């Protein structure tokens, strides 16, 4: 039996008009701003009218630490949404948008996989509804206005050596990481060293994803710190006078995008901030809108639960006043084996001992998630190579840890394969057992927030930071930023800062190399290692083989 | 009586659903790819099916040399389209898209003015349907792939000092004109000096506007020369392997955009190449599509007739196999006065003598246009300050020059004010008197093509060019580019290269400072002065006052 690729399945899917998908959520045609026949934005006016409606149940899908075996978090998010609809519930999913640039390096990706996908796949990997282009424009308008301000006399007294705002491009272009601009003489301004990040790393992206409406968006943009004076006084985007124009550029991008799953269920695909220097969740406005329109909203967070779910709880939920009713923790037998010490090439044969050993990673995540006061259900994303004994080992382990693990076959079978999980998740969410609370209070000192995450989530013994980092955190506290949550930038492959350390390590140290203030997004970033904010292209980028074939189809993108 | 601003008129307009506008041209709903409710792209599949239909009549709107008094070329294009529809003809207009970046420097502009406008005005000044963002992405993908090629070993032997392909951004950002990229060490590649142009100056823009279909687009992209080896051998975009992926990025952007005039008539707004280093016309695909769908297509070209109409005839029509059936030359009494030596501040009082003197500019353009074998009708775009004697002076002058001048009041009255012109233009176009021929043959040597334009259109005595320029032209001829047309980059304010020289100068010299090869677009650019390809922002950019007001409207953009 030949297995169809994601793109083959996606192309064969019969798409319903997007108006029909909107109608399932009660969105009138006039309030769906179409982008083609299969994509639409939900109008701001319609969203504003939803305020007084009750919220549906919020379900977070997160995962164990990612391994090269693949855990299928988005696939399970999509599958669970379809599964809930299949058992008669009114459900919607909320996921992130893909970045265009990286698709021309490595191949682009599906949103989901197999028979649990969101479509149209090609558009979602290319320009989609233009949101990221709008973010690029807004970001770079601010950049241009900063240099222009200096050019025309620098009335604000910006220290050209202390401009922190760079430029962005949605492209993997390593040559732009470190640049000098303003060369060529008097007419071109003052020369200075700066660089470009990829668009998804822009603070504007994080802001768009955390803003509750256009007014909040403009206020947050205004608070971005772009530079400092010689006296170390911050200069903000509002000082430069750019926040109004940036809001105009982002007006359409703030409206959430509606598309459909392969089973024609509503999917909001909106926003896509980095999961290291930012919080890695889809937009607040998409999630809150979906909660007003559906009885169950399934969403996900970037990376594993130590990073993604922690930020979802401590940043997104805290800031947006959200509270998850149930968490689904995705695991695979293969990933358990890898956490148990098996190499990817050796995943084939049954190895119950390795599975049992690797379950420590899963158990740690279950404990951590429960510490937020939310019930946890484990989804075992099924692979054909999984044996019954291996699955039973995971289920027994999870049962011992006070949860349950349900096998899901949505990749192969769509909603049919995930109805058991859907039923259990609905039951749990309806049971109202969640007593959500973030891990720390707003008024905890910044360094203590870092320590709390490191010791309680990562199970480290200590946080290492030199005086410069601690002084910086104190300075921000003195400047009124002490109440912000912390956004950890750490490897996603381990609870520790060592990507090779699988399983459930403890007793390690978490070194904080650098801290950054995202005053507009509203968090302090703690960086525990090297963070790459502008990727490069490989020796043979996918772009070399991407093209349109004689049938008018895109080739090489997937 | 208070006069309404363009934006007030545009906002008050009752927009019809874009499907209704498409239906006027027989475009089925399924073949209109909507972008919101008031914009759509015409599907490539539908366009491909039109091949065997007969063409409608093609009407070019051009103008005298622009003066600070404003001539109203786009306004007349829109008005004439509405006028033709008002007298019962099936007519469409084709104009260019606006660039986003400059709107944040000076205020953005309407497409047309008064009661002869295309809407939606705000979207057309912002992201519109994303075409320019797609061009930016495609251009910069090629840039990234060039540096990436060098990074991974430079198998093609690119001379890093001879990379001619820069990067682009749709933003007025003078700091990006001259940059160094690739700083920061081994991982970031090789440092080299380069810079950014504004997106509309990209050769990709010119290519998109001249390509007849996706296959032609890809072939043209492949021919772009991006660099030279140490042996001065050209390296093309196809050598880099980028043309397929760029075509994928431009797939949607190649489909022409349909919007509506204030009178709900169809308007194609597509493409927007620079009118100096490029040819300054809307896309070939929009024009050819409109010609299949409407009986009369009104289009325009950038700047005055010496630049815009010349390039329309010698580049766009030659390349696309088009032939105009009638040319409308727009003039105003005020501009005639300025050409007659009156300063802008003194335009108020009647001055028939100045009008008569200034008509020399108009007469020269009429002669030039007739030399292409096309009939010319003059449109006097009426201003309330025009006196009857002044108008009569223009009309008498035009009559002496074998044409006729018709007063048009479309700005104040919409189609009602331009019916006389519409009737005359339809009559002329239907009369089939045009015997169009470009000014020179393909096989004329490149320098002689420049001389032909300079002496026959600009009425210069001579073309000045040093040996380096002549040698370069010969080298391109030897390399097989001798059959390309020439694209002149000259000031738009005068027939000469001196912007202050109004009227109808003759006997001057045309110095060629530099020549450039746009091998993908398919022309040789001859540069007669300083050409700015990346604008800067003014001391107080419009962006400082742009924002969204409490009513949710955009303020400060217009």
């Amino acid at each position: 039996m030949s297995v169809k690729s994601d793109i083959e399945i996606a192309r064969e899917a019969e798409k319903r008009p997007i108006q029909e998908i909107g109608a399932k959520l009660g969105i009138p045609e006039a309030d769906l701003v179409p982008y083609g026949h299969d994509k639409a934005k939900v109008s701001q006016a319609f969203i504003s009218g939803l305020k007084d409606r009750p919220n549906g149940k919020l379900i977070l899908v997160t995962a164990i630490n990612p391994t090269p075996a693949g855990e299928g978090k988005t696939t399970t998010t999509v599958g669970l949404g379809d599964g809930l609809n299949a058992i008669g519930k009114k459900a919607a999913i909320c996921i992130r948008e893909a970045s265009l640039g990286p698709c021309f390096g490595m191949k682009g990706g599906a949103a989901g996989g197999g028979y649990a996908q969101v479509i149209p796949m090609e558009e979602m990997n290319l320009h989609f509804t233009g949101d990221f282009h709008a973010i690029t424009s807004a970001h770079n308008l601010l950049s241009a206005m900063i240099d222009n301000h200096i050019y025309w006399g620098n009335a604000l007294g910006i220290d050209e050596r202390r401009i922190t705002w760079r430029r962005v491009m949605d492209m993997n272009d390593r040559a732009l990481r470190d640049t000098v601009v303003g060369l060529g003489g008097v007419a071109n301004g003052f020369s200075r060293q700066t660089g470009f990040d990829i668009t998804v790393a822009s603070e504007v992206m994080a802001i768009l994803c955390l803003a509750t409406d256009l007014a909040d968006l403009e206020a947050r943009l205004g608070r971005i710190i772009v530079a400092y004076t010689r006296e170390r006084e911050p200069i903000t985007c509002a000082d430069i006078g750019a926040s109004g124009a940036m809001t105009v550029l982002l007006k359409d991008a703030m409206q959430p995008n509606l598309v459909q799953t392969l089973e024609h269920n509503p999917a909001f695909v909106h926003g896509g901030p980095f999961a290291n220097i930012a919080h890695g969740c889809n937009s607040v406005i998409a999630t809150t809108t979906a909660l007003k329109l559906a009885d169950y909203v399934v969403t996900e967070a970037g990376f594993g639960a130590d990073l993604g779910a922690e930020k979802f709880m401590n940043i997104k939920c805290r800031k947006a006043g959200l509270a998850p009713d149930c968490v689904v923790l995705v695991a695979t037998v293969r990933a358990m084996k890898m956490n148990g010490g098996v190499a990817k090439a050796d995943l084939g044969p049954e190895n119950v001992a390795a599975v049992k050993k690797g379950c420590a990673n899963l158990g740690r995540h279950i404990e951590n998630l429960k510490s937020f006061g939310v019930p946890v259900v484990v989804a075992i994303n099924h692979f054909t190579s999984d044996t019954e004994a291996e699955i039973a080992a995971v289920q027994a382990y999870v049962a011992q840890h006070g949860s349950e693990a349900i096998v899901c076959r949505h990749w192969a079978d769509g909603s049919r394969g995930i109805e058991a999980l859907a039923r259990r998740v609905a039951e749990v969410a309806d049971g109202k057992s969640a007593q959500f609370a973030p891990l720390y209070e707003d008024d905890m000192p910044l360094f203590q927030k870092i320590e709390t995450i490191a010791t309680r989530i990562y199970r480290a013994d200590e946080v290492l930071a030199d005086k410069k980092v601690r002084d910086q955190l104190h300075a921000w506290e003195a400047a009124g930023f002490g109440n912000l949550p912390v956004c950890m930038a750490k490897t996603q492959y381990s609870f520790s800062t060592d990507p090779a350390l699988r399983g459930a390590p403890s007793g390690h140290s978490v070194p904080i190399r650098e801290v950054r203030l995202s005053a507009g997004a509203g968090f302090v970033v703690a960086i525990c290692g090297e963070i790459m904010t502008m990727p490069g292209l490989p020796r043979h980028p996918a772009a070399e083989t991407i093209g349109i074939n004689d049938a008018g189809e895109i080739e090489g993108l997937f």
Side-chain angles (χ1 to χ4, degrees), chain A:
Chain A
M1 187 186 77
S2 92
V3 175
K4 283 182 187 162
S5 71
D6 290 346
I7 180 66
E8 283 170 334
I9 294 170
R11 279 189 179 149
E12 281 173 20
E14 189 208 344
K15 279 179 293 191
R16 301 265 168 83
I18 195 62
Q19 290 77 8
E20 202 177 301
I21 310 302
K24 288 189 179 186
L25 297 176
I27 309 171
E29 274 199 36
D31 285 309
L32 276 180
V33 186
Y35 284 70
H37 301 289
D38 50 9
K39 304 176 290 295
K41 284 185 168 286
V42 182
S43 81
Q44 187 59 58
F46 177 74
I47 292 171
S48 303
L50 300 174
K51 279 206 179 68
D52 298 330
R53 291 199 194 178
N55 281 335
K57 303 292 180 191
L58 180 59
I59 298 145
L60 173 70
V61 176
T62 184
I64 55 168
N65 290 92
T67 70
E71 77 279 14
K73 189 174 56 193
T74 304
T75 302
T76 304
T77 303
V78 177
L80 180 55
D82 283 341
L84 285 163
N85 278 290
I87 62 167
K89 307 292 187 185
K90 188 176 177 184
I93 67 161
C94 288
I95 60 173
R96 285 164 293 165
E97 298 180 56
S99 183
L100 182 154
C103 296
F104 295 92
M106 313 297 275
K107 283 175 189 289
Y115 288 90
Q117 290 190 57
V118 173
I119 47 176
M121 185 165 158
E122 278 132 329
E123 284 86 339
M124 287 172 57
N125 276 275
L126 294 169
H127 308 292
F128 198 35
T129 60
D131 293 343
F132 289 14
H133 290 318
I135 290 168
T136 303
S137 293
H139 184 117
N140 291 332
L141 173 61
L142 176 53
S143 311
M145 287 177 78
I146 294 167
D147 281 302
N148 190 59
H149 177 85
I150 296 169
Y151 178 85
W152 288 105
N154 197 9
L156 290 169
I158 293 170
D159 183 344
E160 291 152 46
R161 304 163 304 175
R162 293 196 173 92
I163 300 173
T164 51
W165 195 251
R166 293 156 51 93
R167 287 173 174 81
V168 296
M169 192 179 280
D170 195 0
M171 196 58 65
N172 287 18
D173 192 349
R174 69 170 66 76
L176 292 180
R177 287 174 189 155
D178 196 343
T179 66
V180 169
V181 301
L183 293 168
V186 172
N188 298 352
F190 295 83
S191 306
R192 65 185 185 87
Q193 195 166 4
T194 178
F196 287 67
D197 298 317
I198 191 162
T199 298
V200 286
S202 168
E203 189 178 345
V204 177
M205 173 67 86
I207 288 172
L208 184 110
C209 290
L210 287 168
T212 50
D213 56 28
L214 279 180
D216 184 38
L217 177 77
E218 181 162 355
R220 285 170 179 272
L221 292 169
R223 291 197 292 268
I224 295 172
I225 294 174
V226 299
Y228 295 86
T229 64
R230 276 181 171 258
E231 293 72 33
R232 312 283 176 100
E233 288 300 317
I235 304 290
T236 66
C237 169
D239 295 332
I240 297 292
S243 44
M246 291 168 76
T247 305
V248 167
L249 280 168
L250 295 168
K251 182 174 65 78
D252 295 337
M254 260 296 276
Q255 300 177 135
N257 307 300
L258 182 69
V259 288
Q260 64 192 285
T261 67
L262 290 175
E263 300 193 6
H264 315 302
N265 293 312
F268 290 94
V269 180
H270 194 221
F274 254 35
N276 44 44
I277 58 156
H279 62 294
C281 304
N282 78 295
S283 77
V284 162
I285 198 165
T287 305
T288 54
T289 300
L291 284 168
K292 298 295 184 190
L293 299 173
D295 297 327
Y296 300 86
V297 173
V298 186
T299 189
E300 61 167 350
F303 296 155
D306 55 326
L307 280 168
E310 184 270 310
K311 294 181 187 186
F312 178 83
M313 310 286 189
N314 283 322
I315 299 177
K316 182 172 174 177
C317 287
R318 176 197 305 267
K319 292 287 176 177
L322 296 171
D325 296 284
C326 178
V327 175
V328 173
L329 179 61
V330 181
T332 64
V333 166
R334 291 152 55 88
M336 290 302 97
K337 278 183 186 170
M338 289 197 79
N339 267 292
V342 178
K344 196 180 175 189
D346 304 327
L347 287 175
E350 180 178 272
N351 190 338
V352 176
V355 168
K356 283 182 178 171
K357 190 172 166 214
C359 276
N361 185 271
L362 179 55
R364 173 75 60 80
H365 286 298
I366 295 172
E367 273 178 35
N368 282 349
L369 290 164
K370 285 189 169 177
S371 73
F372 287 95
V374 289
V376 179
V377 179
V378 173
I380 302 178
N381 185 15
H382 185 261
F383 279 69
T384 47
S385 58
D386 300 349
T387 70
E388 281 186 30
E390 288 173 332
I391 291 170
V394 177
Q395 288 180 316
Y397 179 91
V398 171
Q400 279 164 15
H401 283 71
S403 185
E404 68 185 298
I406 298 172
V407 178
C408 305
R409 293 182 165 83
H410 46 288
W411 184 86
D413 299 332
S415 61
R416 261 193 314 123
I418 197 169
E419 286 191 7
L421 180 73
R423 255 186 276 273
R424 182 64 190 136
V425 164
E427 202 173 72
V428 170
D430 292 345
K432 299 187 182 178
S433 61
Q435 303 236 309
F436 171 71
L439 198 64
Y440 51 80
E441 297 300 318
D442 286 352
D443 58 5
M444 184 185 280
L446 291 170
F447 194 74
Q448 209 178 317
K449 286 173 182 164
I450 297 173
E451 285 181 324
T452 302
I453 296 167
T455 55
R456 293 191 42 199
I457 303 292
Y458 307 161
R459 313 296 175 101
D461 271 2
E462 57 177 355
V463 174
L464 305 175
D466 61 21
K467 186 167 177 299
K468 197 178 151 197
V469 164
R470 291 169 194 257
D471 285 352
Q472 180 62 78
L473 293 173
H474 289 310
W476 286 333
E477 283 163 353
F481 297 109
N483 63 335
L484 295 182
V486 165
C487 179
M488 300 297 287
K490 180 186 72 73
T491 176
Q492 67 267 38
Y493 297 111
S494 171
F495 276 104
S496 76
T497 56
D498 173 3
L501 212 54
R502 295 223 168 97
S506 60
H508 48 95
S509 303
V510 173
I512 306 297
R513 196 171 57 86
E514 181 195 343
V515 284
R516 294 183 196 168
L517 175 58
S518 292
F523 49 69
V524 169
V525 184
I527 297 177
C528 313
E530 292 296 323
I531 297 296
M532 171 60 69
T533 50
M534 172 54 94
L537 291 170
R539 182 183 289 269
H540 288 293
E544 289 180 358
T545 50
I546 292 174
I548 297 177
N549 66 20
D550 292 342
E553 287 170 340
I554 296 173
E555 281 192 345
L557 185 58
F558 305 102

